[in-house]
Amino acid sequence: EVQLVESGGGLVQPGGSLRLSCAASGFTFSSYAMHWVRQAPGKGLEYVSAISSNGGSTYYANSVKGRFTISRDNSKNTLYLQMGSLRAEDMAVYYCARVVAGILTGTLDYWGQGTLVTVSS
Amino acid sequence: QSALTQPASVSGSPGQSITISCTGTSSDVGGYNYVSWYQQHPGKAPKLMIYDVSKRPSGVSNRFSGSKSGNTASLTISGLQAEDEADYYCSSYTSSSYVFGTGTKVTVL
């Protein structure tokens, strides 16, 4: 059974940093590209970042470019999102999702349950 | 990376059919056949319902169907059931990025 479990969310002050993790199981993690998607409270889904199966290609939404870094450790079956210079508008539930086919043209077929990031002083 | 435009809400009675639109541009929806649809119940993670405009993943009811015309994609739910009440989001590839729709709340009357 495919499972994606996010962790690392919590309360952080504006300007602070946080690292999210997504532990994958039930499939060959190293064969799939992955996405991070977020959802602010009461709002819609927003694409954040994507990474290729081997980590060699990364993509970011303009809203997080230069502040967030996506990475992965295929030996640990884990996806990461390093978030820096956090702003109030970054407050959201962050989901990781598996991509089938192309990194950005593919389909997000499995999603984790999300981890909440709260940015507040 | 502007969000794709969806109606805020759509409603229907049990057994009826409803259609949710997803309007973009020639740079996203109209330019590629990479439109997906996701269903999200309150407090839950999104679930894939349709991909590549009209393909249905294994396990998804055939009451759900997708199509596209020009810059607008559509999700049709036929034989509406109470369990279909949820938020629905479209998504598309766009110029080395990815974009979601604004979301539509489906209410079963």
Side-chain angles (χ1 to χ4, degrees):
Chain A
E1 177 193 6
V2 172
Q3 285 198 330
L4 298 170
V5 179
E6 301 92 339
S7 61
L11 175 63
V12 60
Q13 292 186 339
S17 299
L18 206 60
R19 188 178 82 157
L20 305 183
S21 299
C22 169
S25 61
F27 65 101
T28 304
F29 180 68
S30 59
S31 295
Y32 290 86
M34 299 291 293
H35 277 213
W36 285 102
V37 175
R38 68 185 180 184
Q39 186 170 36
K43 303 297 184 181
L45 301 175
E46 180 188 12
Y47 158 74
V48 173
S49 184
I51 188 168
S52 61
S53 58
N54 64 5
S57 297
T58 57
Y59 303 86
Y60 299 92
N62 287 340
S63 58
V64 306
K65 198 172 294 183
R67 300 188 300 120
F68 290 12
T69 301
I70 190 172
S71 63
R72 64 191 296 161
D73 186 337
N74 286 345
S75 68
K76 295 182 178 179
N77 291 341
T78 303
L79 173 73
Y80 302 101
L81 185 67
Q82 179 68 47
M83 304 185 295
S85 301
L86 283 163
R87 307 165 180 166
E89 53 264 37
D90 295 319
M91 185 164 67
V93 173
Y94 283 74
Y95 296 100
C96 63
R98 187 181 82 165
V99 183
V100 175
I103 301 171
L104 296 175
T105 58
T107 298
L108 309 183
D109 66 341
Y110 283 94
W111 297 61
Q113 286 304 304
T115 186
L116 177 62
V117 173
T118 302
V119 182
S120 175
S121 55
Chain B
Q1 296 175 348
S2 298
L4 307 174
T5 301
Q6 298 180 230
S9 62
V10 173
S11 61
S13 300
Q16 287 187 328
S17 292
I18 62 170
T19 296
I20 304 168
S21 61
C22 169
T23 301
T25 69
S26 58
S27 295
D28 38 61
V29 174
Y32 311 93
N33 288 325
Y34 297 127
V35 176
S36 297
W37 288 91
Y38 301 90
Q39 176 193 65
Q40 186 180 35
H41 287 107
K44 300 295 187 181
K47 174 187 175 183
L48 176 66
M49 305 303 286
I50 295 288
Y51 68 100
D52 292 352
V53 176
S54 60
K55 298 177 182 178
R56 202 170 40 249
S58 174
V60 171
S61 171
N62 59 10
R63 298 185 297 104
F64 292 84
S65 62
S67 63
K68 190 184 83 167
S69 177
N71 295 336
T72 299
S74 298
L75 174 71
T76 298
I77 308 175
S78 58
L80 199 62
Q81 299 180 0
E83 68 207 48
D84 301 331
E85 186 162 292
D87 294 326
Y88 291 81
Y89 296 90
C90 61
S91 71
S92 175
Y93 168 75
T94 172
S95 304
S96 296
S97 189
Y98 196 84
V99 63
F100 285 97
T102 51
T104 298
K105 181 175 180 60
V106 168
T107 301
V108 181
L109 301 172

